[in-house]
Amino acid sequence: AQKITQTQPGMFVQEKEAVTLDCTYDTSDPSYGLFWYKQPSSGEMIFLIYQGSYDQQNATEGRYSLNFQKARKSANLVISASQLGDSAMYFCAMRERNSGNTPLVFGKGTRLSVIA
Amino acid sequence: DSGVTQTPKHLITATGQRVTLRCSPRSGDLSVYWYQQSLDQGLQFLIQYYNGEERAKGNILERFSAQQFPDLHSELNLSSLELGDSALYFCASSAVIGGPNTGELFFGEGSRLTVL
């Protein structure tokens, strides 16, 4: 069963607008971590933001925020004030058993294109 | 710069051949992870090492093997290569989780393997 689902293969957003990238996850582990990564066309993987399953508040990092809805098992990434440099693939990932060094499981990604 | 170094960056070889990909983790990181990213796909977890020992295994083919050496660098060996093995191979490392450390993975720039 797929643990991370990103239902939007591609998204377009106007420059300076906000955009939400969807991510749902599946786990029975009460302790888990959720991560978002950005992969520009150059190929490197850039860590953006993290949300722990026990965190009370939604994570924020600059223009990135994570809309964490635990009951719905969703962890959507919100990018505010989009910039042309935000055009990239975005991957949602999860780690189960968040107390140890275990691998991240990635979704298939969403390709975001920012239009001037 | 993530601090994770991968060599070579690009590799072109023929079917049936064997290649070795090398990874040096961030200074102090004990965990090394290998991921495979095929064209327009998400990242597939292959294998994880922690302080020299195999910690977790994912969808790694029997033709592939890896090891982590006492100096913590890791090598991924791919043998009897097939056309379908063409992909971007990422190495990532992480610190021990605790305190403010969220355990995110720090990725190298990847080794792009082309099998002809």
Side-chain angles (χ1 to χ4, degrees):
Chain A
Q2 202 165 355
K3 289 185 177 287
I4 295 287
T5 303
Q6 295 181 253
T7 57
Q8 306 153 313
M11 290 276 289
F12 289 89
V13 64
Q14 202 76 32
E15 197 178 7
K16 300 179 186 175
E17 297 291 313
V19 63
T20 297
L21 306 183
D22 293 343
C23 173
T24 58
Y25 58 91
D26 182 26
T27 181
S28 56
D29 195 327
S31 174
Y32 53 90
L34 297 158
F35 301 78
W36 277 91
Y37 281 82
K38 172 184 178 181
Q39 186 179 36
S41 57
S42 51
E44 73 268 31
M45 295 289 290
I46 302 167
F47 167 69
L48 295 178
I49 196 166
Y50 163 84
Q51 179 86 43
S53 59
Y54 294 121
D55 292 344
Q56 294 298 314
Q57 293 190 326
N58 286 345
T60 60
E61 287 288 346
R63 294 187 298 110
Y64 304 109
S65 60
L66 203 153
N67 184 0
F68 181 45
Q69 299 189 43
K70 199 169 182 177
R72 295 186 176 183
K73 293 189 175 179
S74 76
N76 299 338
L77 177 71
V78 180
I79 306 174
S80 63
S82 296
Q83 303 171 356
L84 295 177
D86 294 333
S87 294
M89 282 291 287
Y90 288 82
F91 292 98
C92 179
M94 177 177 66
R95 165 184 282 130
E96 293 177 306
R97 289 174 281 122
N98 207 30
S99 60
N101 288 76
T102 53
L104 301 191
V105 176
F106 285 82
K108 291 190 181 300
T110 295
R111 184 176 299 280
L112 177 67
S113 298
V114 180
I115 305 165
Chain B
D1 184 359
S2 68
V4 178
T5 304
Q6 286 189 250
T7 57
K9 287 189 169 38
H10 300 276
L11 192 55
I12 302 174
T13 189
T15 55
Q17 296 298 305
R18 172 190 169 97
V19 298
T20 297
L21 310 180
R22 182 188 167 99
C23 169
S24 294
R26 290 189 322 156
S27 178
D29 284 357
L30 300 179
S31 268
V32 169
Y33 308 77
W34 287 98
Y35 285 84
Q36 178 193 55
Q37 185 180 31
S38 301
L39 191 63
D40 289 335
Q41 294 293 311
L43 280 75
Q44 297 293 318
F45 168 66
L46 295 178
I47 197 164
Q48 176 199 359
Y49 280 82
Y50 180 83
N51 202 19
E53 307 251 335
E54 183 183 302
R55 174 64 71 92
K57 219 167 187 176
N59 299 323
I60 187 166
L61 299 172
E62 284 194 12
R63 300 183 286 108
F64 296 180
S65 64
Q67 55 184 326
Q68 186 179 27
F69 295 87
D71 66 353
L72 300 179
H73 92 270
S74 177
E75 292 181 356
L76 178 66
N77 300 297
L78 315 174
S79 62
S80 302
L81 285 167
E82 302 175 359
L83 296 177
D85 298 328
S86 295
L88 188 54
Y89 291 84
F90 281 108
C91 170
S93 72
S94 68
V96 175
I97 296 175
N101 175 30
T102 61
E104 70 266 30
L105 301 190
F106 294 87
F107 283 81
E109 293 183 345
S111 293
R112 186 169 295 282
L113 173 66
T114 303
V115 182
L116 300 176

